[in-house]
């Protein structure tokens, strides 16, 4: 499977799962790598993605236990989600495929005390941003590739599979900060390497 820059953030994301969590949802799960990592911690996980090819590949890769993953071929912007169902909702590199307001649907699907963790992408806008991207991007990418390659080796090698659909993203970090503050009061947004950010929201 081709290199996926997002994979090196899996450990950071797993650390955001509430200690007493039982149920989790991975939105835009692709071939299910992170959903399986959640299940490996004992959670009961739903992985949702509208792309039939990746859901098929995810199902073929199974569910590792001790938790369980169930994959659903579904577009969450069309069919919504059950209210107050999940203790943890993750959305890795997939929010930019949907209207940003979809975070409201995700917020409403959280149980009280539940956590929404979005690993997102923010577009550089200013000249300074573009300069940082041009200068820092290539070395950061190399470091990330190294981390992911080492992780794959430790976990028994690359997974076979298909590539999840990708899409360019267009919201800037300031738009993301502004809109998320309106829709997810109390959220935090932390910039990460290579134009990624981690948005965290705990449902009160
Ligand atoms: C770039 S891939 C990321 C896949 C995976 N989360 C990862 O980290 O490798 C984005 C995924 O979001 C999915 N997606 C796009 N629109 C969606 C929607 N409306 N509801 C759920 N998933 C969606 C795509 O099919 C794709 O698999």
């Amino acid at each position: 499977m081709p290199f996926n820059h997002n994979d090196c953030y899996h450990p950071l994301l797993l650390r955001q799962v509430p200690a007493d969590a039982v149920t989790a949802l991975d939105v835009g799960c692709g071939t299910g790598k992170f959903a399986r990592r959640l299940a490996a911690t004992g959670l009961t996980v739903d992985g949702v993605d509208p792309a039939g090819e990746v859901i098929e590949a995810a199902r073929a890769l199974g569910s590792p236990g001790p938790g369980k993953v169930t994959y659903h071929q579904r577009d969450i912007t069309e069919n919504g989600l059950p209210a107050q169902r999940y203790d943890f909702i993750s959305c890795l590199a997939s929010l930019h495929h949907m209207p940003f307001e979809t975070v409201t649907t995700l917020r409403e699907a959280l149980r009280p005390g539940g956590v929404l963790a979005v690993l997102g992408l923010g577009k550089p806008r200013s000249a300074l941003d573009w300069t940082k991207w041009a200068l820092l991007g290539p070395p950061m990418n190399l470091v990330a590739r190294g981390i992911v390659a080492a992780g794959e080796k430790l976990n028994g090698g690359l997974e076979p599979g298909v590539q999840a659909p990708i899409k360019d993203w267009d919201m800037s970090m300031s738009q993301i900060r502004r809109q998320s503050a309106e829709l997810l009061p109390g959220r935090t947004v932390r910039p990460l390497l290579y134009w990624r950010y981690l948005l965290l929201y705990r449902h009160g």
Side-chain angles (χ1 to χ4, degrees), residues 4 28-30 49-51 74-77 92-94 97-98 164-166:
N4 182 340
C29 63
D49 202 296
R74 190 186 302 162
D75 179 335
I76 64 152
T77 64
L92 278 63
S94 50
H97 287 251
M98 311 158 207
I166 51 169

Side-chain angles (χ1 to χ4, degrees), residues 107-166:
R107 184 192 69 206
E108 287 167 359
L110 285 172
R111 282 192 181 141
V115 169
L116 167 65
V118 176
L119 176 67
L121 294 144
K123 198 97 176 167
R125 286 276 194 259
S126 66
L128 179 64
D129 277 351
W130 280 107
T131 310
K132 280 196 288 186
W133 193 344
L135 292 178
L136 296 178
M140 283 177 178
N141 209 18
L142 267 182
V143 171
R145 280 171 188 268
I147 293 170
V148 171
E152 300 283 6
K153 210 167 179 181
L154 283 173
N155 289 319
L158 290 171
E159 286 184 348
V162 297
Q163 170 79 54
I166 51 169

Side-chain angles (χ1 to χ4, degrees), residues 23-25 46 81-82 84-89 109-111 114-115:
T23 52
L25 167 71
D46 287 324
L81 290 168
Q84 300 205 350
R85 169 76 155 267
Y86 300 103
D87 299 305
F88 183 71
I89 299 180
L110 285 172
R111 282 192 181 141
V115 169

Side-chain angles (χ1 to χ4, degrees), residues 16-82:
Q16 313 309 323
V17 178
D20 56 352
V22 176
T23 52
L25 167 71
D26 189 35
V27 178
C29 63
T31 53
K33 192 170 190 177
F34 187 65
R36 286 188 292 280
R37 289 206 162 144
L38 287 168
T41 71
L43 292 167
T44 300
V45 184
D46 287 324
V48 174
D49 202 296
E53 200 187 8
V54 294
I55 285 293
E56 216 173 281
R59 285 182 181 140
L61 287 162
S63 186
K68 183 177 185 310
V69 193
T70 308
Y71 297 103
H72 308 267
Q73 185 181 352
R74 190 186 302 162
D75 179 335
I76 64 152
T77 64
E78 286 178 7
N79 303 304
L81 290 168

